[in-house]
Amino acid sequence: MAETQHKNHDYHIIDPSPWPLVASIGVFLMAFGGVGYMRYLSGGSFKILGLELAQPWLLLIGLVVVVYVLHGWWSDTIKEGQEGHHTPVVSLHLRYGMIMFIASEVMFFVAWFWAFFDASLFTGEAIQAARVEATGGTWPPEGIAVVDPWHFPLYNTVILLLSGTTLTWAHHALLHGDRKGLIQGLTLTVVLGLLFTGVQAYEYYEAPFAFKNSIYGATFFMATGFHGFHVIVGTIFLIVCLVRAARGAFTPEQHFGLEAAAWYWHFVDVVWLFLFFTIYIWGGWGAPLAETGH
């Protein structure tokens, strides 16, 4: 292979890999499986070449394939780093890749935030015939009782800010060779991430409005729900880092996996702060607060 030959450059020419092809197959199965599963939930049919796909099994198969690819591909990347292939140039490019990924996530959230702003700032937009009917010309729309921002949302704000602090502590401990502090900081961060998800799930349970039949509910749940999904992904990311830290995989000189997880987590923190101030506080200003009766 290419790596067995002498090279006079700092780049890593990887061996042929099956993961791009297998990942494409997994995503393809998930796409068709997702459509079939939605048809299954609605009691409909989804047939291709006489095969009934309105079942959940195809989606599950695709998900298993994608998870397998994630494990295998990232395991190969970790192995390459341990073998010394991650030269300063390669490490820089890995960081560029993570930065570009986070930038794409920023634009993803811009779309959901703008959907909320468009509905809230232009409640009487003449070009959108149903807008006044849907909002009553006010925001929040008439008849909507909003979530109290100083209850569960404030709790989650404190939780995420604390998690950012404990993650910074873990990173600082690693840089100073304190493996115990690294593991303790990561453990606390994971616990706080799980706590955030639990609080948000209970907030959704208490929510006085639903996703359907309300432009407020639709924009609210899309923005906060996708953020919650990113918190779950970030928590899994940190759990993997915790397992690797316990195995001694990180060193003060080489720990890009932990850095990438920290960047992602701090990005999630910043998005939540924007959500808290714009959707929970500003977006619900002047509306009656929902009473929690459970």
Side-chain angles (χ1 to χ4, degrees), residues 72-87:
W73 205 336
W74 288 339
S75 295
D76 286 352
T77 303
I78 293 171
K79 182 180 177 181
E80 291 162 4
Q82 294 171 341
E83 292 175 348
H85 297 305
H86 290 178
T87 64

PDB file of all heavy atoms in Angstrom, residues 72-87:
ATOM      1  N   GLY A  72     -16.665   1.899  12.607  1.00  0.00           N
ATOM      2  CA  GLY A  72     -15.519   1.410  11.850  1.00  0.00           C
ATOM      3  C   GLY A  72     -14.651   2.518  11.289  1.00  0.00           C
ATOM      4  O   GLY A  72     -13.417   2.472  11.379  1.00  0.00           O
ATOM      5  N   TRP A  73     -15.284   3.543  10.738  1.00  0.00           N
ATOM      6  CA  TRP A  73     -14.532   4.629  10.104  1.00  0.00           C
ATOM      7  C   TRP A  73     -13.754   5.421  11.150  1.00  0.00           C
ATOM      8  O   TRP A  73     -12.572   5.709  10.982  1.00  0.00           O
ATOM      9  CB  TRP A  73     -15.505   5.545   9.369  1.00  0.00           C
ATOM     10  CG  TRP A  73     -14.889   6.314   8.229  1.00  0.00           C
ATOM     11  CD1 TRP A  73     -13.568   6.629   8.068  1.00  0.00           C
ATOM     12  CD2 TRP A  73     -15.560   6.836   7.074  1.00  0.00           C
ATOM     13  NE1 TRP A  73     -13.375   7.332   6.902  1.00  0.00           N
ATOM     14  CE2 TRP A  73     -14.586   7.471   6.273  1.00  0.00           C
ATOM     15  CE3 TRP A  73     -16.892   6.829   6.663  1.00  0.00           C
ATOM     16  CZ2 TRP A  73     -14.917   8.105   5.080  1.00  0.00           C
ATOM     17  CZ3 TRP A  73     -17.206   7.459   5.470  1.00  0.00           C
ATOM     18  CH2 TRP A  73     -16.219   8.090   4.689  1.00  0.00           C
ATOM     19  N   TRP A  74     -14.409   5.762  12.235  1.00  0.00           N
ATOM     20  CA  TRP A  74     -13.710   6.531  13.269  1.00  0.00           C
ATOM     21  C   TRP A  74     -12.652   5.686  13.980  1.00  0.00           C
ATOM     22  O   TRP A  74     -11.627   6.207  14.419  1.00  0.00           O
ATOM     23  CB  TRP A  74     -14.722   7.100  14.257  1.00  0.00           C
ATOM     24  CG  TRP A  74     -15.521   8.216  13.640  1.00  0.00           C
ATOM     25  CD1 TRP A  74     -15.172   8.963  12.545  1.00  0.00           C
ATOM     26  CD2 TRP A  74     -16.798   8.695  14.044  1.00  0.00           C
ATOM     27  NE1 TRP A  74     -16.152   9.884  12.259  1.00  0.00           N
ATOM     28  CE2 TRP A  74     -17.155   9.737  13.148  1.00  0.00           C
ATOM     29  CE3 TRP A  74     -17.674   8.338  15.063  1.00  0.00           C
ATOM     30  CZ2 TRP A  74     -18.358  10.436  13.268  1.00  0.00           C
ATOM     31  CZ3 TRP A  74     -18.877   9.031  15.183  1.00  0.00           C
ATOM     32  CH2 TRP A  74     -19.199  10.073  14.289  1.00  0.00           C
ATOM     33  N   SER A  75     -12.909   4.379  14.098  1.00  0.00           N
ATOM     34  CA  SER A  75     -11.881   3.498  14.674  1.00  0.00           C
ATOM     35  C   SER A  75     -10.633   3.501  13.802  1.00  0.00           C
ATOM     36  O   SER A  75      -9.503   3.525  14.311  1.00  0.00           O
ATOM     37  CB  SER A  75     -12.422   2.075  14.820  1.00  0.00           C
ATOM     38  OG  SER A  75     -13.476   2.023  15.744  1.00  0.00           O
ATOM     39  N   ASP A  76     -10.829   3.489  12.483  1.00  0.00           N
ATOM     40  CA  ASP A  76      -9.685   3.548  11.570  1.00  0.00           C
ATOM     41  C   ASP A  76      -8.936   4.872  11.722  1.00  0.00           C
ATOM     42  O   ASP A  76      -7.699   4.903  11.697  1.00  0.00           O
ATOM     43  CB  ASP A  76     -10.162   3.391  10.120  1.00  0.00           C
ATOM     44  CG  ASP A  76     -10.554   1.962   9.792  1.00  0.00           C
ATOM     45  OD1 ASP A  76     -10.315   1.072  10.629  1.00  0.00           O
ATOM     46  OD2 ASP A  76     -11.109   1.744   8.697  1.00  0.00           O
ATOM     47  N   THR A  77      -9.687   5.961  11.873  1.00  0.00           N
ATOM     48  CA  THR A  77      -9.047   7.272  12.046  1.00  0.00           C
ATOM     49  C   THR A  77      -8.228   7.319  13.330  1.00  0.00           C
ATOM     50  O   THR A  77      -7.106   7.845  13.353  1.00  0.00           O
ATOM     51  CB  THR A  77     -10.115   8.385  12.061  1.00  0.00           C
ATOM     52  OG1 THR A  77     -10.882   8.317  10.855  1.00  0.00           O
ATOM     53  CG2 THR A  77      -9.475   9.756  12.169  1.00  0.00           C
ATOM     54  N   ILE A  78      -8.784   6.768  14.406  1.00  0.00           N
ATOM     55  CA  ILE A  78      -8.051   6.719  15.681  1.00  0.00           C
ATOM     56  C   ILE A  78      -6.785   5.874  15.533  1.00  0.00           C
ATOM     57  O   ILE A  78      -5.709   6.252  16.013  1.00  0.00           O
ATOM     58  CB  ILE A  78      -8.965   6.156  16.786  1.00  0.00           C
ATOM     59  CG1 ILE A  78     -10.106   7.132  17.075  1.00  0.00           C
ATOM     60  CG2 ILE A  78      -8.157   5.871  18.052  1.00  0.00           C
ATOM     61  CD1 ILE A  78     -11.179   6.576  17.990  1.00  0.00           C
ATOM     62  N   LYS A  79      -6.918   4.734  14.865  1.00  0.00           N
ATOM     63  CA  LYS A  79      -5.763   3.854  14.655  1.00  0.00           C
ATOM     64  C   LYS A  79      -4.679   4.558  13.848  1.00  0.00           C
ATOM     65  O   LYS A  79      -3.484   4.440  14.151  1.00  0.00           O
ATOM     66  CB  LYS A  79      -6.213   2.580  13.947  1.00  0.00           C
ATOM     67  CG  LYS A  79      -5.100   1.570  13.718  1.00  0.00           C
ATOM     68  CD  LYS A  79      -5.640   0.329  13.014  1.00  0.00           C
ATOM     69  CE  LYS A  79      -4.513  -0.662  12.725  1.00  0.00           C
ATOM     70  NZ  LYS A  79      -5.026  -1.863  12.005  1.00  0.00           N
ATOM     71  N   GLU A  80      -5.091   5.317  12.822  1.00  0.00           N
ATOM     72  CA  GLU A  80      -4.113   6.049  12.007  1.00  0.00           C
ATOM     73  C   GLU A  80      -3.352   7.067  12.857  1.00  0.00           C
ATOM     74  O   GLU A  80      -2.141   7.252  12.683  1.00  0.00           O
ATOM     75  CB  GLU A  80      -4.833   6.745  10.855  1.00  0.00           C
ATOM     76  CG  GLU A  80      -5.379   5.787   9.804  1.00  0.00           C
ATOM     77  CD  GLU A  80      -6.441   6.425   8.931  1.00  0.00           C
ATOM     78  OE1 GLU A  80      -6.697   7.648   9.110  1.00  0.00           O
ATOM     79  OE2 GLU A  80      -7.035   5.731   8.086  1.00  0.00           O
ATOM     80  N   GLY A  81      -4.063   7.728  13.761  1.00  0.00           N
ATOM     81  CA  GLY A  81      -3.390   8.680  14.642  1.00  0.00           C
ATOM     82  C   GLY A  81      -2.398   8.000  15.572  1.00  0.00           C
ATOM     83  O   GLY A  81      -1.297   8.504  15.802  1.00  0.00           O
ATOM     84  N   GLN A  82      -2.789   6.842  16.105  1.00  0.00           N
ATOM     85  CA  GLN A  82      -1.897   6.102  17.005  1.00  0.00           C
ATOM     86  C   GLN A  82      -0.668   5.574  16.283  1.00  0.00           C
ATOM     87  O   GLN A  82       0.391   5.386  16.893  1.00  0.00           O
ATOM     88  CB  GLN A  82      -2.662   4.953  17.653  1.00  0.00           C
ATOM     89  CG  GLN A  82      -3.771   5.414  18.599  1.00  0.00           C
ATOM     90  CD  GLN A  82      -4.654   4.277  19.075  1.00  0.00           C
ATOM     91  OE1 GLN A  82      -4.701   3.202  18.470  1.00  0.00           O
ATOM     92  NE2 GLN A  82      -5.368   4.499  20.173  1.00  0.00           N
ATOM     93  N   GLU A  83      -0.804   5.329  14.975  1.00  0.00           N
ATOM     94  CA  GLU A  83       0.324   4.839  14.185  1.00  0.00           C
ATOM     95  C   GLU A  83       1.235   5.957  13.694  1.00  0.00           C
ATOM     96  O   GLU A  83       2.222   5.701  13.003  1.00  0.00           O
ATOM     97  CB  GLU A  83      -0.195   4.039  12.991  1.00  0.00           C
ATOM     98  CG  GLU A  83      -0.873   2.731  13.389  1.00  0.00           C
ATOM     99  CD  GLU A  83      -1.485   2.014  12.196  1.00  0.00           C
ATOM    100  OE1 GLU A  83      -1.572   2.648  11.113  1.00  0.00           O
ATOM    101  OE2 GLU A  83      -1.872   0.839  12.342  1.00  0.00           O
ATOM    102  N   GLY A  84       0.908   7.200  14.030  1.00  0.00           N
ATOM    103  CA  GLY A  84       1.764   8.327  13.683  1.00  0.00           C
ATOM    104  C   GLY A  84       1.475   8.977  12.350  1.00  0.00           C
ATOM    105  O   GLY A  84       2.271   9.791  11.870  1.00  0.00           O
ATOM    106  N   HIS A  85       0.344   8.637  11.733  1.00  0.00           N
ATOM    107  CA  HIS A  85       0.017   9.219  10.429  1.00  0.00           C
ATOM    108  C   HIS A  85      -0.526  10.644  10.525  1.00  0.00           C
ATOM    109  O   HIS A  85      -0.589  11.345   9.522  1.00  0.00           O
ATOM    110  CB  HIS A  85      -1.002   8.342   9.698  1.00  0.00           C
ATOM    111  CG  HIS A  85      -0.489   6.962   9.382  1.00  0.00           C
ATOM    112  ND1 HIS A  85       0.680   6.744   8.674  1.00  0.00           N
ATOM    113  CD2 HIS A  85      -0.984   5.737   9.690  1.00  0.00           C
ATOM    114  CE1 HIS A  85       0.879   5.443   8.547  1.00  0.00           C
ATOM    115  NE2 HIS A  85      -0.120   4.813   9.155  1.00  0.00           N
ATOM    116  N   HIS A  86      -0.948  11.039  11.719  1.00  0.00           N
ATOM    117  CA  HIS A  86      -1.503  12.385  11.876  1.00  0.00           C
ATOM    118  C   HIS A  86      -0.374  13.387  12.128  1.00  0.00           C
ATOM    119  O   HIS A  86      -0.132  13.824  13.249  1.00  0.00           O
ATOM    120  CB  HIS A  86      -2.542  12.411  13.002  1.00  0.00           C
ATOM    121  CG  HIS A  86      -3.806  11.690  12.662  1.00  0.00           C
ATOM    122  ND1 HIS A  86      -4.860  11.545  13.540  1.00  0.00           N
ATOM    123  CD2 HIS A  86      -4.194  11.070  11.505  1.00  0.00           C
ATOM    124  CE1 HIS A  86      -5.829  10.875  12.946  1.00  0.00           C
ATOM    125  NE2 HIS A  86      -5.439  10.571  11.716  1.00  0.00           N
ATOM    126  N   THR A  87       0.284  13.738  11.068  1.00  0.00           N
ATOM    127  CA  THR A  87       1.348  14.740  11.119  1.00  0.00           C
ATOM    128  C   THR A  87       0.733  16.113  11.403  1.00  0.00           C
ATOM    129  O   THR A  87      -0.495  16.256  11.390  1.00  0.00           O
ATOM    130  CB  THR A  87       2.082  14.778   9.772  1.00  0.00           C
ATOM    131  OG1 THR A  87       1.155  15.213   8.755  1.00  0.00           O
ATOM    132  CG2 THR A  87       2.627  13.408   9.410  1.00  0.00           C
TER     133      THR A  87
END
